[in-house]
Amino acid sequence: MKIILDAMGGDNAPKEILLGAQQAVRELGVEIAAVGDSVKIDACVKENSIDMTGITVVQAGEVIEMEDDPTKAIRHKKDSSMVVALRMLANGEGDALVSAGSTGALLTGATLIVKRLNGVKRAAIGTVIPGKEKAWLLLDSGANVECPADMLNCFATMGSVYMEKTMGRKAPSVALVNNGAEESKGTEIYVAAHQLMKQNPAIQFAGNIEPRDIPRGEVDVVVCDGFTGNVILKLTEGWAKFFSGELKALFKKNVGTMLAALLVKGGIASFKAKLDADEYGGAPLLGVNGVVIKAHGSSNAKAIKNAVRQAKACCENGMVEAIRENIQR
Amino acid sequence: MKIILDAMGGDNAPKEILLGAQQAVRELGVEIAAVGDSVKIDACVKENSIDMTGITVVQAGEVIEMEDDPTKAIRHKKDSSMVVALRMLANGEGDALVSAGSTGALLTGATLIVKRLNGVKRAAIGTVIPGKEKAWLLLDSGANVECPADMLNCFATMGSVYMEKTMGRKAPSVALVNNGAEESKGTEIYVAAHQLMKQNPAIQFAGNIEPRDIPRGEVDVVVCDGFTGNVILKLTEGWAKFFSGELKALFKKNVGTMLAALLVKGGIASFKAKLDADEYGGAPLLGVNGVVIKAHGSSNAKAIKNAVRQAKACCENGMVEAIRENIQR
């Protein structure tokens, strides 16, 4: 299996991307096509003694920057690592694509170059977030700020397929974010979406989920529009940072608390692992005609490797085919 | 100053409400009109040896339950503690009202009985939430699921006045929740609201705030529609519960971690205080022609006392008058 990697995307490119590629080849047995500026890649490989076994470099002279306008960048930077990578995926020159570059550009590019599946109005971004019981998928986590009811229902189907195919969840439960459990709750769009999801044969609908219950991780898929999803995702990041900062401050107060830190060290490590987004790899772009994984902009080698693992699982388990079938039902 | 207290509202009524009233009389020097079933109140007073100095009981035979439909309950339960209390406020038989009863009913009742201020389309619920730098006001935190741009702008003005008048913030900074800092971000409504807030002479507009930055507490007022506000408020509650649960589990593992718990006890207490909603009292209903404070349904005596303190501060500092003036500008 060959995974196409945007070697120039993200805050730590190309170094962490290439180190992640090296880990992926060794641990996952995949081939990697690393797309980017070959001069820069060669220099980075030498400087960090990266073993390039199983990794082919594909030349692309430009880079899409985070501040570029997504649509303009995709249309005009034809030789950017992201556009070249997307074209390779569209042409079947690889099985899946992983990029830590601009989310907006990747989404626009995937839609324009890889294309959407029939019946999918808009692609969505799914993000796996840890919870008390288990990790859960949030979608749309920011791609589409405004979503009519049928789009939310489509997200429900795609999210359910993703959790079944790549996370091994049997009959995943799917809930709709809302400000109350009753069917009548929420905006007109959410009331209509609730009815559509209730009748959707492709999902196990668990009804509305109130935001207070989301961290419990009792459902597999949490559906909402991208504006709300962005709030859920980013507010979660913000509070996690707040709490870990408070915890650190707590242990740094004096000798006694530093001793306390030693005593609970193991527990804190497992607590951090639970919250460690790197463990869950990247965010899938669902609804496009190919496997596209958006790794976090700040991804390190481990996060890249896990995103590749995720991409591999999507391919092996026929995720795109399964979405196509379920959408057409 | 006389504060009208809905003695039958909330999970712990009437006991905690009356104990809160007793604390408020002693510590804040206010008079209290406790509205509710006088037989039940008398029994509770005896059972708990509550000192009723400064507290008058006003008879109201019915109670609005949490599961009652708000509009129907307000229209039909004319003798409920909440409706009687609202009528007293409307008739000037008290300076402010505190209730831990149903939020929906209180909002509907305040709108129908106390009435909105001129120029205010819908009342909003503000909630003070702790942050890293300082506590901040979230509004609307759940009253209005759909809000046009001018309504959001009105919330901005009301929130700013509230933080200035009752929390002593000088020239409070006001931000709009959005999925990016740029003016062009968000739904059409949010793009339009950004422009209105930018031109609003009654506020210090700090631009958009991304949800990740909300927990930092760098602005005084965070404005959004009630659907989004409910997500922010309740998700925050959910994660706080998650993190405190994880922390507890961490310290209960073995003798070593229990020793660690002793060593950091002081720090944990101050950390909890930061997150303790009881410290901040209740949520003001902003935009009605009177001071109405919604205390949390699970309020204990301390939370009720703090809600009364808040109500008192609103009266003393002319909060309603200041909102009226600023809305008319």
Side-chain angles (χ1 to χ4, degrees), chain A residues 183-207:
Chain A
E183 292 189 4
S184 60
K185 283 287 180 177
T187 63
E188 271 181 46
I189 288 174
Y190 276 75
V191 171
H194 184 108
Q195 292 306 319
L196 292 176
M197 287 169 74
K198 216 168 122 180
Q199 291 152 26
N200 183 341
I203 63 166
Q204 293 282 331
F205 185 43

Side-chain angles (χ1 to χ4, degrees), chain B residues 36-295:
Chain B
D37 184 323
S38 56
V39 176
K40 282 188 186 148
I41 291 177
D42 286 350
C44 177
V45 164
K46 264 182 210 134
E47 200 184 322
N48 300 284
S49 312
I50 297 168
D51 173 9
M52 292 293 277
T53 311
I55 307 174
T56 328
V57 175
V58 177
Q59 166 63 18
E62 291 175 291
V63 176
I64 293 181
E65 309 289 350
M66 296 307 282
E67 52 277 12
D68 283 344
D69 175 80
T71 310
K72 274 188 203 158
I74 293 295
R75 289 195 193 279
H76 298 301
K77 290 190 167 175
K78 301 272 185 213
D79 192 36
S80 61
S81 57
M82 191 187 281
V83 170
V84 172
L86 285 163
R87 271 206 311 266
M88 286 178 69
L89 183 67
N91 296 338
E93 297 164 46
D95 299 288
L97 187 159
V98 171
S99 174
S102 152
T103 307
L106 188 63
L107 189 77
T108 306
T111 300
L112 292 176
I113 299 167
V114 184
K115 310 282 188 203
R116 286 187 302 268
L117 292 169
N118 268 341
V120 174
K121 269 193 200 168
R122 300 284 284 271
I125 299 177
T127 307
V128 176
I129 300 179
K132 195 168 163 60
E133 296 292 321
K134 57 177 183 276
W136 45 280
L137 182 76
L138 173 73
L139 90 166
D140 179 16
S141 58
N144 311 287
V145 291
E146 285 177 286
C147 302
D150 59 340
M151 204 185 276
L152 293 172
N153 189 37
C154 175
F155 295 169
T157 303
M158 299 195 299
S160 176
V161 170
Y162 180 81
M163 289 308 268
E164 192 185 338
K165 292 294 175 186
T166 74
M167 305 272 290
R169 303 280 170 90
K170 301 281 162 225
S173 55
V174 181
L176 179 68
V177 176
N178 215 326
N179 62 332
E182 304 85 350
E183 292 188 5
S184 60
K185 283 287 180 178
T187 62
E188 270 181 46
I189 287 173
Y190 275 75
V191 171
H194 184 107
Q195 292 307 318
L196 292 176
M197 287 169 74
K198 215 168 123 180
Q199 290 153 26
N200 182 341
I203 63 166
Q204 293 283 332
F205 185 43
N208 292 341
I209 185 165
E210 293 188 68
R212 188 202 319 245
D213 297 327
I214 291 177
R216 291 162 66 178
E218 286 172 354
V219 298
D220 298 288
V221 181
V222 170
V223 172
C224 59
D225 62 86
F227 188 89
T228 304
N230 179 68
V231 168
I232 293 173
L233 177 64
K234 298 300 173 65
L235 188 65
T236 295
E237 282 185 29
W239 283 120
K241 203 173 162 191
F242 173 90
F243 288 112
S244 71
E246 294 284 322
L247 202 60
K248 252 186 217 159
L250 191 65
F251 285 118
K252 273 193 183 153
K253 273 190 157 169
N254 55 46
V255 179
T257 60
M258 283 188 256
L259 172 62
L262 287 178
L263 293 168
V264 296
K265 214 175 165 191
I268 288 181
S270 77
F271 175 68
K272 274 187 76 173
K274 212 181 211 174
L275 292 173
D276 186 357
D278 296 348
E279 288 290 341
Y280 298 99
L285 259 58
L286 299 174
V288 292
N289 190 19
V291 173
V292 180
I293 304 286
K294 164 72 177 86

